[in-house]
Amino acid sequence: MTYKVNWSRFVMRYALIVIGISLVLYIAGRYFGFNLRSSGATVIPIVVVSILEGATFARTEGTLPKGSWAWQISALFGLVGLGISMAFAAFFMSAFPGGLGQFLTPVGFAALSTITVLMGVFFILGARLFFWMGARNELKRETRG
C-alpha cells in the first residue's frame, strides 16, 4: 500500500474548515440576525476532510478502502477530528467568559462527557462512511473521463 495520511494537511484542512464555519456563523448572527446553531461547525469538517482523504486514497491505490485497516484509519480520523473540535470548543468557551463555568459542575461534566463520547462514535462512523464515499466518488470520476 502506497497511501499515507498527510496528518499536517488533515489537521490544517480540518482547522481551516472549523474556523471558516465559525466565522460564517458569527457573521450570520451578528450582521444578519440569523441564530444558526454551531453543530455545523462540529459535523461538516469531519465530513469534508474524510471525503478529501478518501479521494486521495482512491487516486493513490485505485480501489476502495476496506477491511480492518479502513476502520483503523477512520477511527484515527474521527479521534483527531474530535480532538481538534474539542480544542476549538475549549478555546471559544474560555475566550467568551461565562460558558465554561456550567461544565465545571458534576452535572455539567457528566453531560460534557456523554456528549463527547457520542461525538466520538459519530465522528468515527462518519469518517468511515465519508472516507469510503470520497474514494468511491473519485473512482467513478476517473472511469467517466
Side-chain angles (χ1 to χ4, degrees):
M1 178 178 298
T2 58
Y3 171 76
K4 298 272 189 239
V5 179
N6 183 341
W7 288 105
S8 59
R9 181 183 63 204
F10 182 92
V11 170
M12 187 63 75
R13 284 177 174 171
Y14 197 99
L16 288 173
I17 293 169
V18 169
I19 291 168
I21 291 172
S22 298
L23 286 172
V24 168
L25 293 173
Y26 174 76
I27 291 168
R30 174 105 173 144
Y31 297 107
F32 300 108
F34 294 117
N35 185 13
L36 302 173
R37 300 287 178 217
S38 63
S39 59
T42 306
V43 174
I44 293 171
I46 194 68
V47 169
V48 172
V49 174
S50 295
I51 287 173
L52 293 172
E53 285 300 322
T56 303
F57 176 85
R59 280 191 296 275
T60 304
E61 298 296 323
T63 185
L64 293 173
K66 51 188 157 199
S68 64
W69 176 86
W71 279 104
Q72 291 170 358
I73 200 72
S74 298
L76 286 174
F77 290 164
L79 293 174
V80 169
L82 180 64
I84 296 168
S85 294
M86 295 305 282
F88 273 96
F91 169 76
F92 285 120
M93 283 192 291
S94 62
F96 301 103
L100 190 58
Q102 64 188 346
F103 293 112
L104 299 178
T105 66
V107 172
F109 184 73
L112 179 64
S113 300
T114 303
I115 290 169
T116 302
V117 168
L118 290 174
M119 282 175 55
V121 169
F122 177 77
F123 275 37
I124 291 168
L125 294 175
R128 177 66 183 105
L129 172 67
F130 292 108
F131 184 53
W132 178 83
M133 285 178 64
R136 186 191 67 173
N137 290 340
E138 180 63 24
L139 291 173
K140 280 184 177 181
R141 187 191 65 76
E142 288 176 359
T143 59
R144 274 187 257 144

